[in-house]
Structures are given as C-alpha cells and as structure tokens.
Amino acid sequence: MKNLTVLTHPLIRVCVTALRDKTTPPAAFRRKLAEAAALMVVEITRNLATKTVPVETPLAATRGHVLKHEVILVPVLRAGLSFLDPFLQILPDAKVGFIGIKRDEATALPNVYSSSLPESLTGHDAILLDPMLATGGSAVAAIQMLRDRGAQSVRLVTLVAAPPGVRAVLKAHPSVAVFTAALDPRLNSRSYIVPGLGDAGDRAFRV
Ligand code: PRP
Ligand code: URA
C-alpha cells in the first residue's frame, strides 16, 4: 500500500513481541511501547523538511540546517500517551496537542470526547501518535481535526495496524504517511486486530 511504511528493525520486532504477550504487565507494556517508539522515531522523521541557516563555529562561519516547519506531536488518548515521551526526547521543541477518542464498544465507531489543539496548525508538520489502527475510524477522525486546522503534513505513527484501517485512512486522507511496526492480517467480529495485542489502552493503564 502506497504511503504505508512497515518498520521491521529487529529491535522493534522484539518490542512488538513483548507487547503481544498477554502476560506483559502494564508497567512493562508502557515501557515497551515507549521503547518501540524510540526505535521508530528516526525513520518517521526522516523526510521532515529543513532549511539552511548561518551558524558560527568556534573557528568559522558556515551554514547548517534547522527544521523548516513547526512540528506538533498529537497523542490520541489513551494509548498514544506512551508514544509521546520518546518523540519529545528527539523533538524537544515540538508543540504537543491532545485528542481523546474512544470507540463505542458495540459499533466500533469513534467518539471524540476531548481535544486540546492550537486554533491554527497552518504550516505545521503533525505527527499523530496512536499504537492501534484497526477499522481506521479513530485515525480518520483525528487526522480530519488536524487537517481542519490547516496542518500541512500529517504522519500517523502506529504499532500494529490492520489492512482495513490502513485502507480507510489512505482513502480519506491520501497524502498521510502511515507508519507501523506490524501489519496484522485481520479484524475479529468486535473489530479487534488479530493477532494484535488486545486493548492497548486497557493494557497500558489500569483503571
Ligand atoms: C484504541 C486505539 C485507537 C482505536 C483504534 O483506542 O488506541 O485509538 O482504538 O481503533 P479503530 O481504528 O477501529 O478506530 P480506544 O477507543 O480503545 O480507546 P482507549 O485508548 O482509551 O482504550
Ligand atoms: N483498539 C485496540 O486497542 N486494540 C485493537 O485491537 C483494536 C482497537
């Protein structure tokens, strides 16, 4: 699928395996999500545009690079929160927005219950963080919110994706770049990814 990148670094695969394991407890689950994101961040930011600027070293004037656009990181609550810190480690000056979305358990349709985003994202590169891409309903809605505010590019970072979700995102938002560590074969009758890793929000956060 065009615009889908599956990141297959061996250390990412090791993280995915620990996350799939149903015996992995919440603290380790959050830590593994963060480790996987840390391993993914370089590939995901590879094509960020830069511009040249003057810089003075202790020895001479030369030219260097800075990012051309503001970056905004947007975790989708709840599971996306575990991806935030590793991205902030590499992009400490990024803005951070939040979108809260919960799927209806009966219909699997997304319900946006909260958001905190700048009024305008014109000229921003947005990086949307959500480990799970199942039907795609949540991601399509979140991306629409970023587009409505004028985001000039959107990257969607997932850990496990299923083909219906990838197709739904790329149909609704063809220019979005989708990244995942695993493309699983299917959804079950309750729209959970199989084999997947279960409910990522529930596994990350005890309630
Ligand atoms: C999960 C996941 C995505 C969504 C994916 O969140 O983190 O946001 O489901 O499913 P979709 O592609 O079919 O929309 P959930 O709604 O379970 O909320 P939670 O993270 O608070 O548990
Ligand atoms: N959300 C999850 O957390 N897991 C799935 O498999 C599907 C949606």
Side-chain angles (χ1 to χ4, degrees):
M1 275 176 274
K2 194 170 159 278
N3 280 11
L4 171 70
T5 304
V6 183
L7 299 169
T8 57
H9 190 290
L11 297 180
I12 298 176
R13 287 178 165 172
V14 170
C15 284
V16 172
T17 303
L19 288 159
R20 288 195 195 279
D21 184 342
K22 66 182 183 187
T23 69
T24 300
F29 190 86
R30 291 193 300 273
R31 208 163 49 241
K32 288 292 166 191
L33 276 179
E35 275 177 37
L39 291 162
M40 293 165 85
V41 66
V42 170
E43 279 308 313
I44 286 152
T45 53
R46 179 176 291 284
N47 295 325
L48 284 177
T50 57
K51 63 182 178 187
T52 57
V53 291
V55 60
E56 292 205 13
T57 79
L59 301 180
T62 183
R63 295 189 73 77
H65 303 267
V66 293
L67 291 181
K68 190 168 178 184
H69 304 120
E70 288 255 34
V71 174
I72 182 160
L73 303 171
V74 184
V76 176
L77 310 179
R78 295 170 295 168
L81 281 176
S82 300
F83 274 2
L84 179 59
D85 192 55
F87 273 82
L88 274 176
Q89 295 288 336
I90 303 296
L91 295 163
D93 298 325
K95 294 181 184 175
V96 180
F98 297 90
I99 299 177
I101 305 183
K102 182 88 189 154
R103 295 198 315 179
D104 181 297
E105 285 192 8
T107 63
L109 293 173
N111 172 35
V112 180
Y113 60 83
S114 99
S115 72
S116 173
L117 294 169
E119 281 282 300
S120 170
L121 290 176
T122 303
H124 287 59
D125 290 320
I127 303 181
L128 186 65
L129 308 173
D130 190 340
M132 307 307 284
L133 178 59
T135 66
S138 306
V140 167
I143 294 164
Q144 191 61 52
M145 293 169 74
L146 302 175
R147 287 290 193 210
D148 287 347
R149 285 165 174 76
Q152 70 115 27
S153 76
V154 179
R155 290 165 175 75
L156 170 62
V157 184
T158 73
L159 187 91
V160 183
V166 178
R167 279 195 293 270
V169 166
L170 294 179
K171 183 165 181 232
H173 303 289
S175 67
V176 167
V178 181
F179 297 87
T180 193
L183 185 63
D184 280 9
R186 66 184 181 90
L187 302 179
N188 70 10
S189 59
R190 294 172 54 229
S191 297
Y192 277 85
I193 302 171
V194 181
L197 48 74
D199 187 314
D202 284 1
R203 292 195 60 192
F205 300 111
R206 301 178 63 213
V207 286

